[in-house]
Amino acid sequence: MTGMPTYISLINWTDQGIRSCNATVERANSAKQLARRFGGEITATYWTVGPYDIVTVAEFPDEESGTAFLYAVGSGGSIRSTTLRAFSAEETTAILGKLP
């Protein structure tokens, strides 16, 4: 496996977040800076239409750093997130190689 673990976050605005939706790009830029403080990087951010308002792709060195970042961002009160650990084809091949 190469690189840091990848995480995909499906994000919804809270009532507070939608009331200040005009600041969403600024908040996303602040989140990028915050991710770096936790040793990670947000590699993509998309504003979406449908059941989620925003989708991000991020990398963090470990689960603890990624989780601490999510706590920090969530404590701002503007978003709620569901975060998924994502695996590349290379990582999936290595995982499958462990099967009996």
Side-chain angles (χ1 to χ4, degrees):
M1 289 187 241
T2 60
M4 293 190 282
T6 301
Y7 300 91
I8 297 171
S9 291
L10 308 173
I11 299 168
N12 286 112
W13 285 322
T14 61
D15 288 343
Q16 174 183 321
I18 193 65
R19 280 194 304 271
S20 60
C21 66
N22 59 342
T24 187
V25 174
E26 293 169 31
R27 287 194 304 257
N29 289 333
S30 294
K32 282 185 176 187
Q33 293 173 359
L34 183 62
R36 289 186 198 111
R37 288 182 34 209
F38 287 93
E41 180 182 2
I42 296 175
T43 59
T45 301
Y46 300 98
W47 285 262
T48 56
V49 176
Y52 299 99
D53 299 310
I54 303 168
V55 175
T56 63
V57 179
E59 296 178 339
F60 285 93
D62 51 58
E63 288 182 6
E64 292 83 2
S65 299
T67 302
F69 166 77
L70 289 170
Y71 287 167
V73 167
S75 70
S78 294
I79 62 165
R80 298 267 187 270
S81 67
T82 300
T83 299
L84 311 165
R85 170 65 165 92
F87 298 91
S88 67
E90 179 183 335
E91 291 169 318
T92 300
T93 298
I95 292 166
L96 293 172
K98 295 178 184 277
L99 295 177

